Amino acid sequence: MTTRWTAPSIFKHSVADMEITVRLYGLLGKNVAGHDSLKGMKVEMPDGSTVRDLIAYLSIPREKIGIASVDGSLVKDTRVLTAGNFVRLYRPISGG
């Protein structure tokens, strides 16, 4: 199942859409409708969307994200996504 998002007017993106896959680790996916803990979920975002836009779309508070990766590389939340990306989001890691 693909979840489609229409960007609010505050986003200055083109109208074309791209499909990405996102997988949420730990408890992040617990309250995200349509998220499968093994497969993740497909999401359609406007071209030019960033990891930050994706986090906002998923309604996850930014402070709940510790690490983001795109196609296996660690990235900042300002990373622009492209069609076919596989995004992984992890909670902050702590401990001793």
Side-chain angles (χ1 to χ4, degrees), residues 25 27-28 55 59-67 89-93:
Y25 289 84
L27 299 175
L28 288 176
I55 293 167
S59 300
I60 299 172
R62 182 62 190 99
E63 64 273 6
K64 298 285 186 187
I65 305 296
I67 299 172
L89 299 175
Y90 302 86
R91 293 184 54 96
I93 299 170

Side-chain angles (χ1 to χ4, degrees), residues 13-72:
H13 300 302
S14 66
V15 294
D17 288 331
M18 60 180 168
E19 185 176 89
I20 61 165
T21 302
V22 61
R23 186 162 175 210
L24 307 172
Y25 289 84
L27 299 175
L28 288 176
K30 183 178 178 184
N31 296 315
V32 177
H35 182 262
D36 180 291
S37 62
L38 297 177
K39 298 178 185 175
M41 65 189 290
K42 302 270 188 205
V43 178
E44 283 190 12
M45 302 284 291
D47 281 344
S49 294
T50 64
V51 171
R52 184 182 299 154
D53 296 334
L54 174 63
I55 293 167
Y57 165 69
L58 296 172
S59 300
I60 299 172
R62 182 62 190 99
E63 64 273 6
K64 298 285 186 187
I65 305 296
I67 299 172
S69 74
V70 175
D71 298 331

Side-chain angles (χ1 to χ4, degrees), residues 81-92:
L81 300 170
T82 57
N85 281 150
F86 192 101
V87 179
R88 291 175 174 91
L89 299 175
Y90 302 86
R91 293 184 54 96

